[in-house]
Amino acid sequence: MREDLMKVLKNPVFYVSAAVILALAVLGAVVPVAFGRVAEALFKFTTVNFGWFYLITVFLIILFLISLALSKFGSVRIGGERERPEFPFFTWIGMLFSAGFGVGLVFYGVAEPMSHFVTPPYASEEALTPAAARVAMGYSFFHWGISQWAIFALMGLAIAFLQFTKKRNGLVSTALEPVTGKNLLVKSTIDSLAVIATVMGVATSLGLGVMQMNGGLGAIFGHQGGYGTQLMILAFLFIAYMLSSLTGLEKGIRYLSNLNLGLALGLLLFVFFTGPTVFILETFTVALGDYFTDFIHHSLRMQPYLGGTWVREWTIFYWAWAIAWSPFVGAFIARVSKGRTIREFILGVMIVPPAIACLWIATFGGTALWYDLNAGTSIAAAVKTDLTSALFITFENLPFTNALSVISILLILTFLVTSADSATFILASMTTFGSLNPSLFTKIVWGLLISSISAVLLRAGGLEALQTASLISALPFTIVLLLLIASLLILLRKEPLPIRKADLRRFRRLEAASREAGHKESMKIKEDRE
C-alpha cells in the first residue's frame, strides 16, 4: 500500500486534480447555497458566450469521423494487422452502452420527449398537440443520436491508436503530442483537465441515477425520500462499484455489461409488445425521417434573434455533458476495442448505441405520448413537476407496474455500477502514468471523490447543479477535442496502409504473369542456343 501511495504521489496529475476535486467537494459541503449560486453564474456565462463553440465543434467532429471511416485509413486495424477483437460483438456493444450513456438514457427516455411535449423547442409550436409530440420525438432522437457518440469515438480512437498501435500509454496528453509536444507542464495540465472533466461528468451521471432511483422507490412505496435517502443510495452504490472494481475488467465490468444490455433489451421488448406497438413503430419511422431531415438545422441551431434559452438548456447541455465524459468513455472504449479496424470502430460506436437509444426513446417515450394523446392521462404534467418519476409514471399504465419499476431500478443500479467502476479504473489509469493495471488504492481514492462531488452537487441544487457542473468542466476540454483531430491526421499520415485483398490479388496476378514471361524468355534463349 505504501509503495502504491508513493508511486501515485509522484504524479502531479494525481495530486493537482484530486486537490481541485476535493476543494470543490469541501466548498459545496460547507457553503452549499453559495456554491450553487457561483455554479449557476458560471453556467450562464459559459452557455451564453460559448454555446456556439460547442455546436460547431461537435458538428466538425462528426464530419471528420465520417470522412475518416470512408477514407483509405478506415482499413487500418487498431493494434496491427494481426490483431483480432478481444471481446465478442454483443459484449463489446454492451460495454459501450454501459460505460457510455446507458443510465442517462433510462433517465431521459421518457422525461425528454414529454418535456418537449409540454414545453416545445419552438415558441411557435403549441404544447400538448400531435404536432408538438412529433417535434418532441424528433429532437429526442437528435440529442441521443450520433452527435454524442461521435465525441466518444474521437477520443477513443485517438487513445486506442496510441495505446495499441504505437504501444504508448493511454493518456490524452500522449494522444496530443504530435500537436502540443512533450513538455511536462503542458502534458500534466492536459491530463489534469481530463481527470477533472471526467469526475464532474461521472458525478453528474451518478447524481441523475440516484435521483431516479429515489423517484422509483417513491413510486413503489408511495413516498419519495429526501436528501438523506439519496445519500444512502449513493453510499450503497459506492460499496457496489468498489466491490465490482476488485474483480477487474475481464470479469466484473464484462459480466455486468452483458447483464445491463440483457435487462435493457428485455424491458424494451416487454414495453414494446404490451404498449401501443403500431404507434411505437410509426413514431420510430417518422422520428427517424425527421432526424435525418433536420440534422444540420438542429446541429447548428441557436436562438440569437429570439433570445430563448431552450437550446442552451438542452442541446448545449447534452454536448457539454458528453465532452465532460469523453476522457473516461473514450479511454474505456479504447481499452475494449483492440483488434477492430478504424472503420469498424467508428461505425460501431457511432451507429449501434445511437440506434438502440432511438429505439428505446421511441418505445418508452412513444408509449407515454400515446397515453397522453389518446387515453387522457397526464404524464407530461407529472413529468413537468418531477422529472425523476417520468419512467415510473408511464409504468402505471402498463401491466405488472411494480415489477417493471423494480427491474428498472435494478437496471439503473447496474448501469451506475458499471459506469462508476469503469470510471474509477480509467481515472486511476490516468493518474498512474497510463497504467493498464492501476492499484486498488488509487481506485478507492477516485471512487470516494466521485461519490463526494456527486453528494455535494445533489445538496447544492439537485438536477440544475449537476447539469451546471458538467457544462463548466467541459469548456476547456472542447479545445482538446479539436486538437485531437489534428493529432490523429498527423499520426495516420505516417502509418503504412494495409494491402487490400483486391490489391493483393492484382499483385499476385502481375507476379505470376512476370514469372510466366520470364520462363518463356528463358525457354526461347535456350532454343536459340540449341
Side-chain angles (χ1 to χ4, degrees), residues 299-347:
S299 295
L300 302 175
R301 182 194 170 207
M302 297 199 75
Q303 299 170 288
Y305 307 110
L306 299 175
T309 61
W310 191 93
V311 173
R312 297 206 314 261
E313 292 169 355
W314 285 97
T315 306
I316 294 173
F317 159 65
Y318 274 132
W319 288 190
W321 188 16
I323 290 168
W325 266 66
S326 64
F328 149 54
V329 180
F332 185 78
I333 291 174
R335 177 65 183 82
V336 300
S337 299
K338 182 172 64 173
R340 302 189 184 275
T341 65
I342 288 178
R343 184 175 296 111
E344 183 184 6
F345 177 92
I346 292 174
L347 295 180

Side-chain angles (χ1 to χ4, degrees), residues 50-64:
F50 296 99
W52 60 271
F53 185 47
Y54 288 118
L55 297 183
I56 290 177
T57 298
V58 173
F59 189 67
L60 289 175
I61 290 171
I62 294 169
L63 294 179
F64 168 72

